[in-house]
Amino acid sequence: MSTFGFSEEQRDCLQEIINVAMGLASDKLARFLNTFVHLQVPSIALVGASHIPAEFENRYQDTEAALVSQGFFGNEGVRGEAIVLYQMENAHKISALLGYEVGDVSEIEMLTDISSILTTTFLNGLADQIENSLSYSAPRVLSSVKGDLSSLLRSTSFHWEHALKVDISYQLVDHSFNCDMILLIPGEAVTNIQRILDRILEDY
Amino acid sequence: MSHAWLSSPILAQLNSGVIVVDDEYQIHYLNAFVERHASLQLSEVQGKSLFTVFADLPEAWLKRKLMSVLDLNTPAFSSWEQRQYIFKLPHLRPITSSSQYMAQNCSMLPLNSEQSEQPLICILIEDATDAFVYQQHLSKTLIELEKANRQDGLTKVLNRRYWEEQLKQEIHRAQRYHHPLSLILFDLDKFKDLNDKYGHLGGDFVLIQLASFISSLLRDSDLFGRYGGEEFGIILPDTGLDGAVEVAERICQAVAEYPMLFNQQTIRASISMGVAELLPKQHLLHDDVIRCADMALYNAKRAGRNRVCSYLAGETEYQKKVN
């Protein structure tokens, strides 16, 4: 942990940046989706690769969850993966949210669309504040079958030991729709983020 | 040194389509890839609406996507896996691919440029035809594999493992909905003699011929499988004992009257059949029903072959007396 340990200043700075990004995202999303978007104060943590599967497992133990992944990368070695998790019982609410006609798009397309919107809106806000700009991979549904989530994650061999994990809950009030977004910034990219944070702190 | 001059030749060489439209969906630019594939000239379509130039576009859907790009200043994506293509373009493998149009991955990216007063969107079109073709091969192979996994290699009826699985499910269904269910087990009479007389190829031939002939006599819902060697089973959902005996009698008689021509010789065969009906209170496992049908089959053999015997409730051992 020592290499990736965050100082208190760094942590506060990151928390502040994320809070502002969330505010921006929630405002934009509310206008785009015509509904109030409630985002809970995110939790930030450094996690070990070995803990990731168990964590997902505990969280979605008895529900059918879909998992959509989208990679992002920017300047100065900022990179990571955003994972959006839905409980499948929520999925049908998305089409109304996005203004699609019933039968117009497949469930998978709705999931990737809403994920991409939630992820990129938030991350663009984050990138703006650290004077960066991000590119994104196309979103992909990784799993939508009950129970195979943790086995999928277990079968993934991580090439990093620790990752910075940012956990955000989205709640759309009108549609009683909610989902979780988890940003994972793995390995070397964490050090790069720290370097950026230090630079911001110096500017104050 | 500025590298700005590079963008133009690279855009022309790029093996992806680039289309730039504004917030009113008017075309500002398209690169050579799009020009060639769609047989268009930029000079002819510049300033025209994207939806006029490409009349086949899913307009409402695409507008919604493009709107999100503008409103949120974020990219939007479309994958060939959900929507095979957005733009109806021919692809570069007309000979080796079965799809008519280029499968596409499309990205719609917000373009922030100081040189344009209007907000612009860049639509990137990547040819995913190869991935599409591989996926099709894979799906086809998986279907075949699944079929092979259910089928008996020789006779093409269900294999034992799959047939037993189906039996378990059918029993479960019958018990749940209180429907009758019957089972026929049958065995080729004197198969060893057939093998001795016509060789193993002759024996196999008879199994193949009879399996296919009997399949043609069954309903779609009946499940016909090879239980082992020359023994077969038929699951008859929604059928009581009387109905099942009737089916068995018909098959037994038809088989006896069915000549098979092998190496210029006519082979005649007969079968012995045992029929049992699922008794919900006694048959708790699928093995129980099989055991009862097997008992009846044994009786049919003992009774002189080429006949049908049914299992009678309460029977616990094989009939001792041979008729």
Side-chain angles (χ1 to χ4, degrees):
Chain A
M1 287 293 271
S2 58
T3 0
F4 292 125
F6 270 60
S7 69
E8 205 168 314
E9 285 89 357
Q10 284 174 334
R11 185 180 280 272
D12 287 349
C13 180
L14 181 63
Q15 182 83 52
E16 183 55 26
I17 287 169
I18 286 170
N19 290 353
V20 173
M22 268 177 46
L24 291 172
S26 123
D27 181 53
K28 268 183 157 182
L29 288 170
R31 271 185 283 138
F32 183 69
L33 301 172
N34 285 318
T35 175
F36 186 70
V37 182
H38 182 70
L39 292 117
Q40 275 169 15
V41 177
S43 69
I44 303 171
L46 274 171
V47 291
S50 55
H51 291 108
I52 299 265
E55 191 165 323
F56 278 91
E57 207 165 12
N58 292 339
R59 198 134 123 190
Y60 294 94
Q61 208 164 25
D62 295 315
T63 51
E64 217 171 314
L67 182 149
V68 182
S69 144
Q70 193 166 15
F72 59 89
F73 59 100
N75 304 324
E76 299 181 80
V78 175
R79 59 179 65 240
E81 195 170 333
I83 293 170
V84 184
L85 282 143
Y86 307 88
Q87 307 198 355
M88 283 308 276
E89 57 197 31
N90 266 326
H92 67 277
K93 292 176 185 156
I94 302 171
S95 68
L97 204 62
L98 290 176
Y100 287 136
E101 299 288 323
V102 176
D104 199 16
V105 294
S106 66
E107 198 165 74
I108 288 184
E109 190 172 342
M110 287 190 298
L111 286 178
T112 51
D113 268 12
I114 188 81
S115 302
S116 182
I117 286 172
L118 297 179
T119 304
T120 57
T121 310
F122 170 76
L123 283 174
N124 273 1
L126 186 93
D128 279 350
Q129 292 178 77
I130 57 172
E131 289 168 348
N132 213 311
S133 80
L134 296 173
S135 298
Y136 303 92
S137 72
R140 277 197 76 84
V141 174
L142 292 186
S143 109
S144 58
V145 185
K146 187 178 178 174
D148 68 359
L149 188 61
S150 52
S151 63
L152 180 92
L153 288 169
R154 278 185 204 287
S155 67
T156 312
S157 61
F158 297 115
H159 299 288
W160 40 272
E161 272 181 43
H162 292 95
L164 179 66
K165 181 169 77 79
V166 181
D167 232 312
I168 304 171
S169 264
Y170 286 80
Q171 197 154 22
L172 275 58
V173 176
D174 295 357
H175 295 265
S176 62
F177 166 86
N178 55 62
C179 64
D180 296 333
M181 184 170 89
I182 296 158
L183 295 181
L184 287 168
I185 298 169
E188 197 62 20
V190 180
T191 323
N192 299 332
I193 294 263
Q194 282 175 307
R195 200 174 304 128
I196 293 170
L197 292 173
D198 284 341
R199 198 183 57 218
I200 294 170
L201 286 167
E202 270 172 37
D203 289 346
Y204 273 115
Chain B
M1 193 178 101
S2 164
H3 295 101
W5 66 274
L6 280 171
S7 3
S8 168
I10 288 174
L11 277 171
Q13 292 289 328
L14 202 62
N15 218 354
S16 298
V18 179
I19 302 176
V20 176
V21 296
D22 60 30
D23 53 352
E24 282 161 338
Y25 314 114
Q26 282 185 342
I27 295 175
H28 282 232
Y29 174 80
L30 39 86
N31 71 344
F33 179 93
V34 182
E35 282 188 324
R36 287 175 197 153
H37 279 86
S39 307
L40 293 172
Q41 289 295 318
L42 173 58
S43 54
E44 291 164 9
V45 298
Q46 209 159 18
K48 287 189 184 165
S49 161
L50 181 71
F51 299 101
T52 317
V53 176
F54 298 93
D56 294 320
L57 290 175
E59 188 170 336
W61 173 87
L62 186 56
K63 277 186 175 168
R64 185 76 195 158
K65 282 253 186 193
L66 295 175
M67 218 157 67
S68 81
V69 175
L70 291 172
D71 285 1
L72 299 168
N73 199 32
T74 55
F77 301 91
S78 169
S79 157
W80 64 270
E81 286 172 283
Q82 277 87 56
R83 211 167 270 266
Q84 199 189 330
Y85 52 81
I86 299 179
F87 295 89
K88 268 191 182 176
L89 303 175
H91 56 74
L92 300 179
R93 292 182 56 190
I95 315 299
T96 53
S97 154
S98 60
S99 70
Q100 196 182 351
Y101 299 106
M102 178 198 295
Q104 297 158 4
N105 284 328
C106 292
S107 313
M108 287 144 262
L109 311 164
L111 278 191
N112 299 313
S113 167
E114 283 150 16
Q115 284 167 23
S116 165
E117 285 170 18
Q118 265 179 305
L120 298 175
I121 304 168
C122 169
I123 305 174
L124 271 182
I125 307 164
E126 283 169 76
D127 186 347
T129 306
D130 283 345
F132 173 75
V133 170
Y134 292 139
Q135 183 64 47
Q136 273 193 323
H137 284 314
L138 184 65
S139 310
K140 215 175 117 210
T141 310
L142 284 176
I143 290 168
E144 278 165 14
L145 206 61
E146 209 189 307
K147 202 170 155 196
N149 205 21
R150 298 194 301 242
Q151 231 176 25
D152 173 53
L154 182 71
T155 60
K156 307 295 174 208
V157 299
L158 304 178
N159 63 29
R160 176 169 175 172
R161 184 187 51 75
Y162 187 74
W163 182 81
E164 280 198 66
E165 261 171 42
Q166 294 301 302
L167 179 61
K168 284 178 201 168
Q169 282 184 22
E170 288 299 335
I171 289 175
H172 188 69
R173 202 168 298 154
Q175 284 171 337
R176 184 177 211 172
Y177 300 107
H178 305 290
H179 286 184
L181 175 80
S182 293
L183 181 67
I184 301 175
L185 280 187
F186 71 87
D187 192 282
L188 215 68
D189 292 334
K190 309 211 166 171
F191 186 61
K192 192 177 171 299
D193 295 354
L194 279 178
N195 272 329
D196 289 347
K197 193 167 170 191
Y198 302 101
H200 284 288
L201 285 179
D204 285 353
F205 175 79
V206 170
L207 290 175
I208 295 166
Q209 288 291 303
L210 282 185
S212 137
F213 176 60
I214 292 169
S215 294
S216 73
L217 301 174
L218 297 171
R219 300 175 300 183
D220 284 347
S221 55
D222 298 336
L223 295 152
F224 184 19
R226 187 174 178 199
Y227 196 67
E230 68 273 24
E231 195 172 348
F232 294 83
I234 304 168
I235 305 163
L236 302 164
D238 296 316
T239 309
L241 188 64
D242 292 347
V245 168
E246 214 179 294
V247 173
E249 294 280 8
R250 207 175 62 229
I251 294 172
C252 188
Q253 196 181 346
V255 166
E257 290 167 1
Y258 183 64
M260 290 163 281
L261 194 66
F262 177 72
N263 286 347
Q264 279 103 41
Q265 287 174 290
T266 303
I267 306 180
R268 288 191 178 275
S270 70
I271 53 177
S272 300
M273 311 181 90
V275 186
E277 185 183 2
L278 175 73
L279 304 169
K281 283 182 187 155
Q282 292 171 35
H283 296 155
L284 300 174
L285 298 169
H286 79 291
D287 285 344
D288 298 333
V289 198
I290 291 180
R291 195 172 37 79
C292 291
D294 200 37
M295 225 181 272
L297 167 59
Y298 188 79
N299 287 344
K301 288 272 181 200
R302 295 284 300 256
R305 300 190 177 84
N306 189 21
R307 70 192 59 217
V308 178
C309 276
S310 53
Y311 171 81
L312 300 170
E315 209 165 1
T316 49
E317 55 183 309
Y318 299 119
Q319 190 177 308
K320 289 281 163 27
K321 204 175 122 195
V322 177
N323 294 332

